[in-house]
Amino acid sequence: FGHVAYAQTGKPFALRTLRPVSQLLGPNYSLSSSSQIRYAASDPNQCGMARLVLWTNPRPGTWEKLAEITDFSTTSFSQTLPEGSHRLFLTAEDRMGNQSPPPGPDTSPHLEITVDTTPPVPSWDVGILPRPSPGTLLAGKDLPLAWRCQELNQVPQAARLEFSRDGGKTWETVAV
């Protein structure tokens, strides 16, 4: 079989070949284009993380690098994303060069986030119901109001209806 060589060392060593693991945790929606994204990452080799890579899925079957993270002082990072829905994936590399695989065409995202920087649009559907005759004094009567607040991106946001008796100097909450 030819020459066979053996080497032996007096010092134990560990072969560290396990891939690091990473996961995006949230949020699922953001009201700002600068989103604070939370993640979890672990290094089974215990040699330390070198970098995380954030990927985006702009078209079905296509993943593109969006950002590289090398600051591990917190478990979140700020990422600017334009208005709309985004599919994100996170990969990791440790200091030994072990890497989690990049996303493939059929890879599911770690996180789907909707960025909504457009405020909801309030509108009066009908106004005061029933509609009083012009000039009718309604002092001391309960007035049912019909109103609506439309959110185009379906991001949960609170809406509040307020009323001012003094031309906008002070406001009273009517409904939330």
Side-chain angles (χ1 to χ4, degrees):
F1 292 117
H3 286 94
V4 177
Y6 294 96
Q8 189 171 17
T9 177
K11 296 184 181 182
F13 67 94
L15 186 58
R16 299 176 183 225
T17 60
L18 298 174
R19 293 178 174 169
V21 179
S22 59
Q23 180 71 33
L24 292 170
L25 303 175
N28 293 105
Y29 61 89
S30 175
L31 302 178
S32 167
S33 60
S34 181
S35 303
Q36 197 66 24
I37 298 175
R38 297 182 319 276
Y39 71 90
S42 64
D43 172 21
N45 298 313
Q46 299 179 347
C47 59
M49 286 292 189
R51 69 184 179 130
L52 300 172
V53 177
L54 183 65
W55 300 78
T56 184
N57 181 226
R59 293 170 303 286
T62 305
W63 289 94
E64 297 173 0
K65 287 183 182 179
L66 183 63
E68 188 171 300
I69 298 103
T70 56
D71 178 6
F72 306 111
S73 59
T74 66
T75 56
S76 66
F77 57 90
S78 182
Q79 181 62 48
T80 301
L81 297 168
E83 175 113 2
S85 296
H86 303 275
R87 296 164 45 95
L88 303 175
F89 191 85
L90 190 66
T91 58
E93 180 180 346
D94 67 19
R95 286 192 254 187
M96 298 294 294
N98 300 306
Q99 299 176 0
S100 53
D106 297 326
T107 302
S108 296
H110 284 157
L111 177 67
E112 294 187 40
I113 181 173
T114 300
V115 175
D116 181 11
T117 58
T118 305
V121 180
S123 64
W124 293 101
D125 279 347
V126 179
I128 299 173
L129 298 175
R131 198 172 287 278
S133 301
T136 304
L137 181 62
L138 300 172
K141 296 191 179 223
D142 289 337
L143 299 175
L145 301 175
W147 63 285
R148 167 175 70 171
C149 193
Q150 183 177 0
E151 174 54 63
L152 301 176
N153 287 321
Q154 303 303 313
V155 172
Q157 293 189 53
R160 182 172 57 229
L161 178 65
E162 295 179 330
F163 172 75
S164 176
R165 299 174 196 267
D166 56 11
K169 292 179 185 171
T170 60
W171 292 90
E172 297 175 42
T173 299
V174 176
V176 179

